[in-house]
mmCIF file of all heavy atoms in Angstrom:
data_model
loop_
_atom_site.group_PDB
_atom_site.id
_atom_site.type_symbol
_atom_site.label_atom_id
_atom_site.label_comp_id
_atom_site.label_asym_id
_atom_site.label_seq_id
_atom_site.Cartn_x
_atom_site.Cartn_y
_atom_site.Cartn_z
ATOM 1 N N ARG F 151 102.419 -171.848 71.056
ATOM 2 C CA ARG F 151 101.976 -170.488 71.374
ATOM 3 C C ARG F 151 103.060 -169.454 71.045
ATOM 4 O O ARG F 151 102.766 -168.309 70.712
ATOM 5 C CB ARG F 151 101.663 -170.424 72.876
ATOM 6 C CG ARG F 151 100.426 -169.688 73.246
ATOM 7 C CD ARG F 151 99.988 -170.062 74.659
ATOM 8 N NE ARG F 151 101.062 -170.247 75.598
ATOM 9 C CZ ARG F 151 101.693 -169.262 76.201
ATOM 10 N NH1 ARG F 151 101.351 -168.011 75.986
ATOM 11 N NH2 ARG F 151 102.657 -169.491 77.042
ATOM 12 N N GLU F 165 111.459 -154.614 60.640
ATOM 13 C CA GLU F 165 110.968 -153.260 60.345
ATOM 14 C C GLU F 165 111.947 -152.213 60.872
ATOM 15 O O GLU F 165 112.257 -151.247 60.195
ATOM 16 C CB GLU F 165 109.605 -153.043 61.000
ATOM 17 C CG GLU F 165 108.464 -153.667 60.210
ATOM 18 C CD GLU F 165 107.111 -153.273 60.767
ATOM 19 O OE1 GLU F 165 107.033 -152.746 61.888
ATOM 20 O OE2 GLU F 165 106.112 -153.526 60.061
ATOM 21 N N GLN F 167 115.097 -152.549 61.378
ATOM 22 C CA GLN F 167 116.316 -152.543 60.557
ATOM 23 C C GLN F 167 116.082 -151.933 59.193
ATOM 24 O O GLN F 167 116.945 -151.234 58.671
ATOM 25 C CB GLN F 167 116.862 -153.978 60.422
ATOM 26 C CG GLN F 167 117.276 -154.626 61.735
ATOM 27 C CD GLN F 167 118.428 -153.902 62.403
ATOM 28 O OE1 GLN F 167 119.186 -153.189 61.775
ATOM 29 N NE2 GLN F 167 118.545 -154.065 63.700
ATOM 30 N N ARG F 170 116.251 -148.343 59.343
ATOM 31 C CA ARG F 170 117.623 -147.829 59.432
ATOM 32 C C ARG F 170 118.304 -147.824 58.082
ATOM 33 O O ARG F 170 119.375 -147.268 57.946
ATOM 34 C CB ARG F 170 118.456 -148.771 60.320
ATOM 35 C CG ARG F 170 118.229 -148.657 61.753
ATOM 36 C CD ARG F 170 119.161 -149.570 62.454
ATOM 37 N NE ARG F 170 120.430 -148.918 62.745
ATOM 38 C CZ ARG F 170 121.400 -149.521 63.406
ATOM 39 N NH1 ARG F 170 121.266 -150.763 63.788
ATOM 40 N NH2 ARG F 170 122.514 -148.887 63.655
ATOM 41 N N ASP F 175 113.905 -154.801 51.911
ATOM 42 C CA ASP F 175 112.911 -154.689 50.849
ATOM 43 C C ASP F 175 113.541 -155.060 49.495
ATOM 44 O O ASP F 175 112.955 -154.792 48.468
ATOM 45 C CB ASP F 175 112.304 -153.294 50.818
ATOM 46 C CG ASP F 175 113.316 -152.197 51.054
ATOM 47 O OD1 ASP F 175 114.511 -152.506 51.086
ATOM 48 O OD2 ASP F 175 112.904 -151.031 51.210
ATOM 49 N N THR F 204 108.502 -167.211 81.341
ATOM 50 C CA THR F 204 107.308 -168.058 81.348
ATOM 51 C C THR F 204 107.444 -169.187 82.344
ATOM 52 O O THR F 204 106.502 -169.509 83.053
ATOM 53 C CB THR F 204 107.048 -168.618 79.938
ATOM 54 O OG1 THR F 204 106.980 -167.541 79.020
ATOM 55 C CG2 THR F 204 105.757 -169.398 79.879
ATOM 56 N N GLN F 210 105.270 -170.126 89.619
ATOM 57 C CA GLN F 210 104.592 -169.334 90.653
ATOM 58 C C GLN F 210 103.079 -169.575 90.659
ATOM 59 O O GLN F 210 102.402 -169.113 91.571
ATOM 60 C CB GLN F 210 104.889 -167.846 90.439
ATOM 61 C CG GLN F 210 106.304 -167.508 90.860
ATOM 62 C CD GLN F 210 106.616 -166.048 90.701
ATOM 63 O OE1 GLN F 210 106.108 -165.396 89.803
ATOM 64 N NE2 GLN F 210 107.490 -165.528 91.543
ATOM 65 N N ARG F 211 102.601 -170.242 89.655
ATOM 66 C CA ARG F 211 101.177 -170.585 89.676
ATOM 67 C C ARG F 211 100.985 -172.104 89.828
ATOM 68 O O ARG F 211 100.052 -172.662 89.273
ATOM 69 C CB ARG F 211 100.473 -170.003 88.478
ATOM 70 C CG ARG F 211 100.190 -168.506 88.757
ATOM 71 C CD ARG F 211 99.205 -167.923 87.812
ATOM 72 N NE ARG F 211 99.841 -167.520 86.590
ATOM 73 C CZ ARG F 211 99.243 -167.482 85.411
ATOM 74 N NH1 ARG F 211 97.983 -167.823 85.330
ATOM 75 N NH2 ARG F 211 99.891 -167.076 84.353
ATOM 76 N N ARG F 216 100.716 -179.790 89.710
ATOM 77 C CA ARG F 216 99.675 -180.286 88.836
ATOM 78 C C ARG F 216 99.724 -181.805 88.712
ATOM 79 O O ARG F 216 100.782 -182.399 88.585
ATOM 80 C CB ARG F 216 99.816 -179.657 87.451
ATOM 81 C CG ARG F 216 98.580 -179.851 86.601
ATOM 82 C CD ARG F 216 98.670 -179.054 85.312
ATOM 83 N NE ARG F 216 97.462 -179.210 84.538
ATOM 84 C CZ ARG F 216 96.495 -178.320 84.475
ATOM 85 N NH1 ARG F 216 96.600 -177.197 85.154
ATOM 86 N NH2 ARG F 216 95.441 -178.542 83.754
ATOM 87 N N TYR F 222 90.047 -178.874 85.395
ATOM 88 C CA TYR F 222 88.651 -178.574 85.753
ATOM 89 C C TYR F 222 87.730 -179.120 84.696
ATOM 90 O O TYR F 222 86.716 -179.746 84.979
ATOM 91 C CB TYR F 222 88.531 -177.074 85.895
ATOM 92 C CG TYR F 222 87.123 -176.551 86.110
ATOM 93 C CD1 TYR F 222 86.332 -177.058 87.130
ATOM 94 C CD2 TYR F 222 86.631 -175.494 85.356
ATOM 95 C CE1 TYR F 222 85.055 -176.572 87.339
ATOM 96 C CE2 TYR F 222 85.367 -174.987 85.569
ATOM 97 C CZ TYR F 222 84.584 -175.511 86.572
ATOM 98 O OH TYR F 222 83.327 -175.017 86.782
ATOM 99 N N ALA K 86 104.214 -168.670 96.608
ATOM 100 C CA ALA K 86 103.207 -168.169 95.679
ATOM 101 C C ALA K 86 101.804 -168.257 96.241
ATOM 102 O O ALA K 86 100.891 -167.600 95.746
ATOM 103 C CB ALA K 86 103.313 -168.913 94.346
ATOM 104 N N ALA K 98 105.217 -162.927 78.312
ATOM 105 C CA ALA K 98 105.920 -164.083 78.870
ATOM 106 C C ALA K 98 105.200 -164.586 80.120
ATOM 107 O O ALA K 98 105.369 -165.720 80.541
ATOM 108 C CB ALA K 98 107.344 -163.718 79.205
ATOM 109 N N MET K 100 102.075 -165.080 80.360
ATOM 110 C CA MET K 100 100.922 -165.917 79.995
ATOM 111 C C MET K 100 101.329 -167.379 79.777
ATOM 112 O O MET K 100 102.341 -167.661 79.172
ATOM 113 C CB MET K 100 100.292 -165.392 78.700
ATOM 114 C CG MET K 100 99.850 -163.969 78.789
ATOM 115 S SD MET K 100 98.462 -163.827 79.927
ATOM 116 C CE MET K 100 98.344 -162.056 80.103
ATOM 117 N N GLU K 108 93.850 -169.389 81.023
ATOM 118 C CA GLU K 108 94.905 -168.676 81.743
ATOM 119 C C GLU K 108 94.535 -168.613 83.237
ATOM 120 O O GLU K 108 95.377 -168.819 84.112
ATOM 121 C CB GLU K 108 95.054 -167.253 81.167
ATOM 122 C CG GLU K 108 96.137 -166.425 81.770
ATOM 123 C CD GLU K 108 97.529 -166.915 81.431
ATOM 124 O OE1 GLU K 108 97.704 -167.519 80.367
ATOM 125 O OE2 GLU K 108 98.426 -166.760 82.268
ATOM 126 N N GLU K 114 93.566 -174.791 88.960
ATOM 127 C CA GLU K 114 93.658 -176.256 88.874
ATOM 128 C C GLU K 114 94.908 -176.740 89.611
ATOM 129 O O GLU K 114 94.857 -177.711 90.371
ATOM 130 C CB GLU K 114 93.753 -176.678 87.402
ATOM 131 C CG GLU K 114 92.471 -176.433 86.634
ATOM 132 C CD GLU K 114 92.646 -176.629 85.122
ATOM 133 O OE1 GLU K 114 93.801 -176.707 84.653
ATOM 134 O OE2 GLU K 114 91.644 -176.689 84.425
ATOM 135 N N ASN K 115 96.012 -176.046 89.364
ATOM 136 C CA ASN K 115 97.285 -176.517 89.938
ATOM 137 C C ASN K 115 97.277 -176.504 91.464
ATOM 138 O O ASN K 115 97.774 -177.411 92.121
ATOM 139 C CB ASN K 115 98.447 -175.666 89.463
ATOM 140 C CG ASN K 115 98.674 -175.852 87.984
ATOM 141 O OD1 ASN K 115 98.114 -176.755 87.381
ATOM 142 N ND2 ASN K 115 99.479 -174.990 87.394
ATOM 143 N N VAL K 398 112.040 -148.334 51.181
ATOM 144 C CA VAL K 398 112.195 -147.836 52.543
ATOM 145 C C VAL K 398 113.668 -147.579 52.863
ATOM 146 O O VAL K 398 114.015 -146.591 53.493
ATOM 147 C CB VAL K 398 111.691 -148.881 53.569
ATOM 148 C CG1 VAL K 398 111.626 -148.257 54.955
ATOM 149 C CG2 VAL K 398 110.355 -149.414 53.160
ATOM 150 N N GLN K 415 116.590 -152.611 67.297
ATOM 151 C CA GLN K 415 117.432 -151.814 66.411
ATOM 152 C C GLN K 415 118.871 -152.296 66.426
ATOM 153 O O GLN K 415 119.605 -152.111 65.493
ATOM 154 C CB GLN K 415 117.366 -150.364 66.880
ATOM 155 C CG GLN K 415 116.847 -149.436 65.847
ATOM 156 C CD GLN K 415 116.458 -148.097 66.445
ATOM 157 O OE1 GLN K 415 115.874 -148.018 67.511
ATOM 158 N NE2 GLN K 415 116.782 -147.038 65.761
ATOM 159 N N GLU K 424 127.856 -150.486 65.818
ATOM 160 C CA GLU K 424 126.434 -150.251 65.823
ATOM 161 C C GLU K 424 126.135 -148.817 65.365
ATOM 162 O O GLU K 424 125.279 -148.590 64.519
ATOM 163 C CB GLU K 424 125.895 -150.458 67.250
ATOM 164 C CG GLU K 424 124.413 -150.451 67.369
ATOM 165 C CD GLU K 424 123.750 -151.598 66.645
ATOM 166 O OE1 GLU K 424 124.107 -152.740 66.915
ATOM 167 O OE2 GLU K 424 122.872 -151.309 65.804
#
Side-chain angles (χ1 to χ4, degrees):
Chain F
R151 223 162 39 80
E165 280 188 347
Q167 297 296 338
R170 283 183 90 178
D175 41 8
T204 305
Q210 286 181 328
R211 280 195 276 152
R216 195 172 182 102
Y222 174 51
Chain K
M100 301 293 169
E108 183 68 30
E114 292 170 346
N115 293 349
V398 190
Q415 240 164 319
E424 188 65 55

